[in-house]
Amino acid sequence: MEKQNDQSRMDRIVSLAKRRGFIFQSSEIYGGLNGFWDYGPLGVALKRNLKDCWWRDMVAGHDELATIQGAPSPYEMAGLDCTIIMHPQVWKCSGHFDLFHDWMIDCRESKRRYRYDHLNGRWAAHRGKKVFVTTDQSGDEAPPSIAAKAQKFFGLRAKQVDEIEWSGDLGSLAAAVASGVLTLADALGPDAAAPGTLTEPREFNLMFETRIGALAGNDDDRAFLRPETAQGIFVNFKNVVDTSRVRVPFGIGQIGKSFRNEITPRNFTFRSREFEQMEIEFFCRPAESAEWYRYWRDRRWKWYLDLGLTEGKLQLREHDKDELSHYSVGTADIEYAFPFLAAGEFGELEGIAHRGDFDLRSHMEGKLVRKDGALVVETGDDGKPRHRGSGKDLSYFDDISRERYVPHVIEPSAGADRAVLAFLCDAYHEDEVPDEDGKPRSRTVMKLHPRLAPVKAAILPLVKKDGMPEVAIDLYRALKPHMACQYDEKGSVGRRYARQDEAGTPWCLTIDGQTLADKTVTLRDRDTLVQTRVPVGEVVHMLRDRLA
Ligand code: ATP
């Protein structure tokens, strides 16, 4: 079976991303900051193109008069741009203040911190010594990692590893502790030399905290950086209904930064502490919500395919009942087989959740919990709401059917950075092309969809004389108002093609001797390498049509 986890391929993608200016480590000259990433000149263009595609395809370009295939009816879309810091009560009512946490565990010896649910382990024994060896690796990587740690712990040479006696299956440390088969004192931490250095797990809220105002100091000044963009949409639901002419069913889209103080950021930009989300909250009649949920799940799946992600590397996974949040009626994840994951493992790109009326009711009534199958306001020991809602009426009045109800919500929630990473991984190819002398030359090429490509076309005069640069500059100036393009006259044409291939530029236009005679240029296709001659006057139209 083909091994999917290809760390060396991933390393080459990361190195290209850095070398060509797609993605840099944040604050790199100071040693970097874990979990934070900057987008370089090519990266910012790629990410902007991705967000523009989403905004155009989902929000601005939506045809509200048509019934899109699979949709129960026509619907409207509106946009919004909310603040990162919101009233602290927002997070209390949404549940993030009490519940948005992970369990972390520290190692007193290595001073490293792990997510408790990410540690796996197995019992190992050698000559009367027994220890539960742990690793923070998962999937295919976990067994060799455990074996290497056990070998080191028992002080064995490579040829002695067969002397280790293993017992029990490799599994979650947390589950083993919960079932009582071991205590943390028996566990050898992933980076420790002796057992018993792991601390008791502690809860850790993932929201970044800050203080508002110059005289900040008491609890009333505490505020949080939003961990998702969604809540800004819910608290503005009434504003949008009252000020625009939208009628249910309709959706509100927002793109913006979110922050999560992830315990172990890793896998390049996949798990970052600052990232961007592209979220839609879609409001519909409760009776139609199941149909809308299916529509959005399928629509979002198709969006990734239309932009060129390889279907065989994508997976649409419906959550099992026991995976669903207490308020969710259904959730599906769109996942991608990233090269840093073990074979058969997928990483989430987007979640599509049927959230019922949980969010709007939470902001009306206060933080909700499920009791005897129903959502009710959580109360404290004094019988009062634990976190009081806004008290504002967020129900919707349908003036045609004369009904009042709290709309149900379908939420397609995507990560812009994870999508960029998936498109980068998917686009990365290594192949061979003939050079100018017809000899095979290996090349790295980013086969990005033209809509996503940072540069759409490169204009290359074959030589820097004979009037070729002048024709090329005229073409560059004609094309530039319509699309991102570059003029490049430096180096051999082969090297210039190679530079553009690495940047993912779909089309190269070469001005040569024949151009001067018949006013045609060579159009080279990045993926097929087919070269065709095109009248110079038709280039702008032709490329605009291809991008439309
Ligand atoms: P995960 O389980 O991987 O932490 P999640 O289920 O918590 O993700 P959601 O809360 O559903 O994620 O957020 C919606 C989307 O936001 C995710 O599908 C992902 O694309 C993006 N996202 C969430 N957390 C991060 C992160 N730390 N770094 C980058 N993108 C993220």
Side-chain angles (χ1 to χ4, degrees):
M1 191 176 135
E2 194 199 343
K3 197 167 174 292
Q4 174 198 311
N5 181 330
D6 190 344
Q7 196 54 48
S8 79
R9 178 178 153 83
M10 193 61 213
D11 291 345
R12 293 197 298 281
I13 294 170
V14 173
S15 129
L16 176 120
K18 160 111 207 265
R19 181 164 49 80
R20 291 310 315 267
F22 280 98
I23 299 175
F24 307 125
Q25 171 104 61
S26 162
S27 324
E28 196 183 274
I29 60 168
Y30 287 103
L33 194 59
N34 203 7
F36 296 90
W37 300 93
D38 293 336
Y39 287 82
L42 287 180
V44 70
L46 170 60
K47 190 172 173 188
R48 187 171 289 265
N49 291 343
L50 178 101
K51 290 186 290 180
D52 285 350
C53 283
W54 185 91
W55 189 258
R56 197 173 115 189
D57 297 345
M58 297 299 125
V59 184
H62 170 67
D63 179 351
E64 58 197 35
L65 304 177
T67 303
I68 298 179
Q69 199 192 357
S73 68
Y75 62 91
E76 294 172 75
M77 289 297 295
L80 206 56
D81 184 18
C82 308
T83 59
I84 284 167
I85 295 177
M86 301 171 69
H87 194 293
Q89 199 64 14
V90 169
W91 308 110
K92 293 186 176 162
C93 291
S94 69
H96 287 84
F97 184 78
D98 292 339
L99 301 171
F100 193 56
H101 55 238
D102 279 334
W103 290 91
M104 64 177 178
I105 192 163
D106 289 306
C107 175
R108 281 185 284 261
E109 184 193 319
S110 68
K111 304 283 178 252
R112 288 198 52 192
R113 176 164 288 172
Y114 312 96
R115 253 177 72 174
Y116 191 36
D117 60 333
H118 281 177
L119 295 190
N120 294 305
R122 198 178 175 196
W123 286 106
H126 186 255
R127 300 207 178 138
K129 246 168 118 182
K130 194 172 177 193
V131 70
F132 191 84
V133 188
T134 67
T135 175
D136 55 353
Q137 304 290 320
S138 61
D140 277 1
E141 307 295 305
S145 163
I146 296 269
K149 287 175 202 301
Q151 182 192 340
K152 195 165 166 207
F153 175 72
F154 294 122
L156 305 177
R157 283 196 291 274
K159 60 181 181 191
Q160 293 175 289
V161 289
D162 291 345
E163 295 173 16
I164 301 174
E165 292 165 37
W166 296 97
S167 53
D169 290 334
L170 176 61
S172 141
L173 170 69
V177 171
S179 70
V181 298
L182 88 151
T183 68
L184 284 172
D186 306 314
L188 175 70
D191 299 287
T197 63
L198 294 176
T199 61
E200 283 300 316
R202 282 181 292 153
E203 261 182 355
F204 176 75
N205 194 299
L206 299 184
M207 283 197 293
F208 277 97
E209 237 182 87
T210 187
R211 302 260 165 195
I212 297 178
L215 293 175
N218 62 50
D219 248 17
D220 293 346
D221 310 311
R222 257 171 103 194
F224 305 92
L225 306 193
R226 66 179 174 200
E228 60 173 36
T229 58
Q231 299 304 323
I233 300 181
F234 296 127
V235 302
N236 275 296
F237 170 75
K238 195 168 153 45
N239 280 338
V240 174
V241 170
D242 290 350
T243 58
S244 58
R245 292 174 54 223
V246 289
R247 299 176 45 81
V248 169
F250 73 93
I252 304 178
Q254 173 168 220
I255 299 179
K257 289 262 185 178
S258 291
F259 300 80
R260 295 184 188 179
N261 203 355
E262 299 279 0
I263 295 170
T264 46
R266 59 161 104 185
N267 292 332
F268 203 22
T269 56
F270 181 82
R271 190 169 299 288
S272 307
R273 288 179 164 139
E274 174 174 343
F275 54 95
E276 261 179 293
Q277 292 185 307
M278 309 182 290
E279 295 195 295
I280 295 170
E281 304 304 329
F282 188 80
F283 302 94
C284 58
R285 292 169 67 92
E288 290 168 1
S289 59
E291 274 176 275
W292 282 112
Y293 166 67
R294 283 192 291 276
Y295 163 72
W296 278 108
R297 186 195 57 193
D298 299 345
R299 173 94 199 269
R300 293 300 305 145
W301 166 260
K302 189 168 172 296
W303 188 76
Y304 291 98
L305 292 180
D306 287 348
L307 282 175
L309 277 192
T310 307
E311 186 161 6
K313 291 189 178 173
L314 272 177
Q315 158 170 299
L316 184 67
R317 190 176 67 82
E318 288 277 355
H319 284 207
D320 296 334
K321 272 269 172 293
D322 58 354
E323 263 186 282
L324 296 177
S325 328
H326 67 90
Y327 49 77
S328 184
V329 182
T331 296
D333 286 344
I334 298 175
E335 303 177 329
Y336 182 74
F338 287 98
F340 50 76
L341 296 172
E345 283 190 11
F346 291 78
E348 176 182 328
L349 288 182
E350 169 161 353
I352 298 100
H354 183 315
R355 300 178 59 92
D357 58 7
F358 175 79
D359 305 280
L360 290 177
R361 276 188 56 202
S362 300
H363 289 300
M364 278 196 275
E365 303 167 29
K367 186 188 164 206
L368 301 177
V369 286
R370 189 167 288 282
K371 211 168 172 190
D372 304 326
L375 285 173
V376 295
V377 175
E378 187 182 9
T379 48
D381 295 340
D382 54 5
K384 292 186 182 151
R386 180 164 157 68
H387 296 301
R388 205 174 282 282
S390 68
K392 299 282 183 297
D393 182 6
L394 304 181
S395 64
Y396 174 80
F397 181 67
D398 186 326
D399 52 9
I400 296 176
S401 67
R402 315 297 296 167
E403 278 174 284
R404 182 170 286 284
Y405 58 90
V406 179
H408 276 198
V409 169
I410 312 300
E411 176 190 78
S413 168
D417 306 81
R418 283 197 191 168
V420 165
L421 185 58
F423 281 107
L424 277 177
C425 292
D426 214 66
Y428 184 91
H429 285 83
E430 291 163 354
D431 61 12
E432 279 196 342
V433 295
D435 68 9
E436 281 136 280
D437 305 322
K439 295 207 194 80
R441 171 182 69 76
S442 58
R443 75 163 180 166
T444 302
V445 52
M446 299 298 284
K447 296 189 176 177
L448 290 164
H449 190 286
R451 287 181 77 194
L452 295 179
V455 180
K456 313 299 180 195
I459 295 112
L460 317 171
L462 190 61
V463 289
K464 272 192 273 182
K465 55 182 185 185
D466 302 336
M468 290 183 206
E470 288 77 2
V471 179
I473 289 168
D474 282 349
L475 180 58
Y476 165 79
R477 293 205 173 120
L479 204 53
K480 191 78 180 188
H482 303 283
M483 64 191 69
C485 59
Q486 280 183 352
Y487 173 80
D488 187 4
E489 56 174 32
K490 291 194 201 85
S492 72
V493 82
R495 287 181 69 105
R496 283 180 273 167
Y497 282 154
R499 273 202 289 274
Q500 297 299 336
D501 286 343
E502 280 192 345
T505 308
W507 303 299
C508 283
L509 298 153
T510 308
I511 286 78
D512 54 17
Q514 200 179 324
T515 311
L516 307 174
D518 69 3
K519 292 199 167 52
T520 62
V521 296
T522 310
L523 174 67
R524 170 192 183 261
D525 183 282
R526 175 197 66 198
D527 300 342
T528 61
L529 298 173
V530 169
Q531 305 207 4
T532 38
R533 293 216 66 99
V534 180
V536 74
E538 285 176 22
V539 168
V540 174
H541 259 101
M542 178 187 259
L543 297 192
R544 280 188 66 180
D545 280 356
R546 289 189 184 190
L547 271 176

